[in-house]
Amino acid sequence: MSTYGIDLGTTYSCIARLDSNGNPEVIRNNEDDSNTVASVVFFENENNVVVGQAAKENIETDGERVVQFVKRYIGKVDSRTYEFDGKTYTPVEISALILTRLKNLVEAQGGTVEDVVITVPAYFGLEERSATRQAGELAGLHVLSLINEPTAAALSYCARQFQEDRTILVYDLGGGTFDVTVVKMTMTQNDSGNDVQKITVLATGGDDRLGGFDWDDRLFNHILHVCCDENGLTPEEIEAETRQDIRSKVEEAKRKLSKKQSAKVRIDVNGSRTEITIKRAEFEQMTSDIVAKTMNFVDATLEKVPNVEIDTVLLVGGSTYMPMIINAVEAKFPGKVQQHDPDQAVAKGAAIYASMLVEEVDSLSEPGTEPSGETPARAEQLTSKFTVEDQTPRSFGPGVVDTNGAKHKYVLENFIKIGEKMPAVFTKTYYPLEDNQERVLLRAFENRSTDDTLIPCVDEEGNPQATDPAHNVKLLGELVVNLPPNTSRDTPIKVTFKVDASGVHVEAVNTKTNETFETFLRTDSDVDIERSAVHQLRISSD
Ligand code: ADP
Ligand code: MG
C-alpha cells in the first residue's frame, strides 16, 4: 500500500497509512524514537540540512540557522523567505523538506509513498491550501487531496466507533496553534440506500499563536530564574549554551509532568550543576491562565452555534496529553471527553480519507471489478460510509461588469460565501460586454466578505488590484474564454464556480457553441494578468 495521510503540523508532523487489516497506523520515527517528526529545519551548512529533533537542538545556540513554525507563513501574501549559504528558501520549499523527511521515514522501512492526503487547518484560504499542495508536489508526492484537520480527527474517531447522530467539539491544542471546531455527524442514506455518515463543520475558532510552546516558555523562564537565583546571576549572564540546555530540557520535563507528579531537570550553569525539581501542581499553577484562555475560545466558538448541544468533546493535539487540559475540559463537559492518540489522530484520519479516495478512483477506472480477496475491503466499506462536508474558508466569485447606471462598474459577484457548505457549486449566466469580442478574461476572486456584490479595488486603468485590505479581496487567477468571430453581445456564457477543500474549479460554457473552458485555480502559479479592461463579461441589464 503506497497511500498515506500526512499531518503537516506547525511544530510536529506525522505520516500514517492503513495496515493490512485496514486500521490506521503511524510510521515510527525511529531516529527520534517518536511517532512524530519535529517540523524544524536546521541549515547546518550548504551540504547538510537536518529536519526533526536534531534540528531543534540548535535553536538557542544557532537560532539564525534554524527554521520553525513555517506553517504560519505558507501561502501568505506578505510571506517571508529564508536565506542560507547564498540560497533563498520559500515557506513552500521548507515545508517540502519536512515532507521529504516524512517520506524518507517510510522509505527507510522499505515502503514507498505515492498518493497522499495532507491536512490543513479549517481556516486556511485557497492560497495556503495551494501552497501546501505545492510543497507536497515539490517533495515528489502525488497529492490526492487536502482535508481539514478537525475533519480528519473526527474521521479517525468515527472509524473507531461508528456513531449515531451527534455533535462533536474538536479541541485541538498543538505546539503553536489552538483550534476549536464544532462538527456534526449525521447518518443519512446514499442513492443506493446505504447508511452514510456525514461530517459537517458547523463553526471554527481558536488562536493561531497559542499552543504547547506557551507552556514551554513558562517552564523555560521558571528554570532560568531558578538557575539565576541559585548562582547569583542575572538572566543576561546566562550563556547561550546554557539557554539551549534549558530549552532542550523543558519540553522533556513538560512531557514527564504529563505522566508523573514531578520532574527533575539538571542544568550546568557556568560549570556548576543546578538541580531543579518541578512539581506538577506548581507547573499547573504557573500556566493556569493559558488553560483558561483556551476555554474562553471554546466559549466564543460555541456562541457561534447557540442552539447546538455538544455530545462529545474530542481532544486532539500533543498538548492535550497534559492532565490540566483533560481536567479543565472534563470540568466543562463532564462525561463527554474522548482522547485517542491525540498527536496521531489527524494523520490517521487523513490516511483513512486517502484510502477512501484511492478506492473511489480504482472503482471508477475499473468498472464492474470486484475487489480481490487479498485487498482489504475495509477502505471500500468506508467510502460508502462517510461523506465529508466542510465549510468554505472564504467567499469566491467572478469579476464582471455592471452596465446598469451611467458609468460601467467592475464588480465582484460572490457566488459562494464564506461559511457555506463545501463542496459548493454556483452557476450564473453572463454576456460579453461588446459585440465581436474575441475573448473574455474571466477573473476569479477570493475574499472574506459575505456581501452578494463587492466593488473590488481598482487601479487608475480600472483594473482590479490583487488585494483589498477591508475584505481581503485576492485575485486568484483568470480563465481565458475564446469566442468565435461575430459573437454577439447577447450570447449567454454560463459561468460555474465549484469550491472544495483543494481549490476552486472555474468553468465557462458558451451556450451558443457549447464550447467549454475550464481551469483549476491554484494560486501557486504566479498570477500574471494582462492589465486590460476591455475583454469582460457583463451582468444582464435587460
Ligand atoms: P502541531 O502543533 O504541529 O499540530 P502536535 O499536535 O503534535 O503538533 O502538538 C505538539 C505539542 O504537543 C508540542 O508543544 C509538544 O511539546 C506537546 N506534547 C507532545 N506530547 C506531550 C506530552 N506527553 N505532554 C505534554 N505536551 C506534549
Ligand atoms: Mg496539529
Side-chain angles (χ1 to χ4, degrees), residues 9 30 116-117 273 428 431-432 479 517 540:
N30 292 326
V116 300
V117 164
R273 170 154 295 197
K428 187 170 174 180
Y431 302 86
L479 176 65
F517 299 84
S540 164

mmCIF file of all heavy atoms in Angstrom, residues 9 30 116-117 273 428 431-432 479 517 540:
data_model
loop_
_atom_site.group_PDB
_atom_site.id
_atom_site.type_symbol
_atom_site.label_atom_id
_atom_site.label_comp_id
_atom_site.label_asym_id
_atom_site.label_seq_id
_atom_site.Cartn_x
_atom_site.Cartn_y
_atom_site.Cartn_z
ATOM 1 N N GLY A 9 2.249 19.574 10.532
ATOM 2 C CA GLY A 9 1.908 20.445 11.659
ATOM 3 C C GLY A 9 2.842 21.638 11.822
ATOM 4 O O GLY A 9 3.936 21.668 11.257
ATOM 5 N N ASN A 30 12.049 6.354 14.008
ATOM 6 C CA ASN A 30 12.965 5.620 14.897
ATOM 7 C C ASN A 30 14.138 6.469 15.361
ATOM 8 O O ASN A 30 14.591 6.352 16.491
ATOM 9 C CB ASN A 30 13.477 4.356 14.194
ATOM 10 C CG ASN A 30 12.346 3.358 14.001
ATOM 11 O OD1 ASN A 30 11.452 3.267 14.852
ATOM 12 N ND2 ASN A 30 12.355 2.646 12.891
ATOM 13 N N VAL A 116 -0.944 10.803 -1.531
ATOM 14 C CA VAL A 116 -1.113 11.279 -0.162
ATOM 15 C C VAL A 116 -2.289 12.246 -0.039
ATOM 16 O O VAL A 116 -2.683 12.885 -1.008
ATOM 17 C CB VAL A 116 0.157 12.004 0.379
ATOM 18 C CG1 VAL A 116 1.363 11.090 0.385
ATOM 19 C CG2 VAL A 116 0.458 13.271 -0.415
ATOM 20 N N VAL A 117 -2.787 12.334 1.186
ATOM 21 C CA VAL A 117 -3.713 13.401 1.569
ATOM 22 C C VAL A 117 -3.003 14.190 2.650
ATOM 23 O O VAL A 117 -2.467 13.600 3.596
ATOM 24 C CB VAL A 117 -5.048 12.820 2.086
ATOM 25 C CG1 VAL A 117 -5.838 13.887 2.826
ATOM 26 C CG2 VAL A 117 -5.881 12.263 0.940
ATOM 27 N N ARG A 273 26.573 22.501 38.700
ATOM 28 C CA ARG A 273 25.317 21.829 38.382
ATOM 29 C C ARG A 273 24.170 22.337 39.260
ATOM 30 O O ARG A 273 24.287 22.410 40.478
ATOM 31 C CB ARG A 273 25.501 20.333 38.585
ATOM 32 C CG ARG A 273 24.202 19.581 38.525
ATOM 33 C CD ARG A 273 24.382 18.175 38.104
ATOM 34 N NE ARG A 273 24.874 18.086 36.736
ATOM 35 C CZ ARG A 273 24.822 16.975 36.015
ATOM 36 N NH1 ARG A 273 24.322 15.881 36.531
ATOM 37 N NH2 ARG A 273 25.270 16.938 34.794
ATOM 38 N N LYS A 428 -24.007 31.025 -12.912
ATOM 39 C CA LYS A 428 -24.765 32.206 -13.341
ATOM 40 C C LYS A 428 -24.424 32.521 -14.791
ATOM 41 O O LYS A 428 -23.310 32.269 -15.231
ATOM 42 C CB LYS A 428 -24.443 33.394 -12.438
ATOM 43 C CG LYS A 428 -25.309 34.596 -12.728
ATOM 44 C CD LYS A 428 -25.172 35.704 -11.699
ATOM 45 C CE LYS A 428 -25.981 36.915 -12.197
ATOM 46 N NZ LYS A 428 -25.920 38.029 -11.269
ATOM 47 N N TYR A 431 -22.943 37.803 -20.144
ATOM 48 C CA TYR A 431 -22.888 38.082 -21.593
ATOM 49 C C TYR A 431 -21.631 38.866 -21.914
ATOM 50 O O TYR A 431 -21.148 39.632 -21.058
ATOM 51 C CB TYR A 431 -24.126 38.902 -21.994
ATOM 52 C CG TYR A 431 -25.398 38.174 -21.635
ATOM 53 C CD1 TYR A 431 -25.959 38.290 -20.364
ATOM 54 C CD2 TYR A 431 -26.005 37.318 -22.552
ATOM 55 C CE1 TYR A 431 -27.094 37.583 -19.999
ATOM 56 C CE2 TYR A 431 -27.152 36.610 -22.203
ATOM 57 C CZ TYR A 431 -27.685 36.742 -20.924
ATOM 58 O OH TYR A 431 -28.800 36.024 -20.581
ATOM 59 N N PRO A 432 -21.103 38.717 -23.149
ATOM 60 C CA PRO A 432 -19.930 39.528 -23.500
ATOM 61 C C PRO A 432 -20.274 41.014 -23.391
ATOM 62 O O PRO A 432 -21.420 41.408 -23.617
ATOM 63 C CB PRO A 432 -19.647 39.139 -24.952
ATOM 64 C CG PRO A 432 -20.318 37.822 -25.141
ATOM 65 C CD PRO A 432 -21.510 37.815 -24.242
ATOM 66 N N LEU A 479 -9.448 32.928 -16.272
ATOM 67 C CA LEU A 479 -9.772 31.928 -17.289
ATOM 68 C C LEU A 479 -9.977 32.665 -18.616
ATOM 69 O O LEU A 479 -10.778 33.598 -18.693
ATOM 70 C CB LEU A 479 -11.057 31.194 -16.882
ATOM 71 C CG LEU A 479 -11.609 30.181 -17.876
ATOM 72 C CD1 LEU A 479 -10.654 29.012 -18.069
ATOM 73 C CD2 LEU A 479 -12.967 29.659 -17.401
ATOM 74 N N PHE A 517 -14.777 26.013 -21.386
ATOM 75 C CA PHE A 517 -13.428 26.418 -20.953
ATOM 76 C C PHE A 517 -13.381 26.203 -19.453
ATOM 77 O O PHE A 517 -14.326 26.534 -18.745
ATOM 78 C CB PHE A 517 -13.191 27.894 -21.267
ATOM 79 C CG PHE A 517 -13.286 28.204 -22.734
ATOM 80 C CD1 PHE A 517 -14.525 28.440 -23.322
ATOM 81 C CD2 PHE A 517 -12.147 28.232 -23.524
ATOM 82 C CE1 PHE A 517 -14.627 28.700 -24.675
ATOM 83 C CE2 PHE A 517 -12.239 28.494 -24.887
ATOM 84 C CZ PHE A 517 -13.480 28.734 -25.469
ATOM 85 N N SER A 540 -26.420 40.707 -17.050
ATOM 86 C CA SER A 540 -27.547 41.038 -17.912
ATOM 87 C C SER A 540 -28.217 42.296 -17.406
ATOM 88 O O SER A 540 -28.563 42.389 -16.221
ATOM 89 C CB SER A 540 -28.546 39.885 -17.899
ATOM 90 O OG SER A 540 -29.769 40.329 -18.404
#
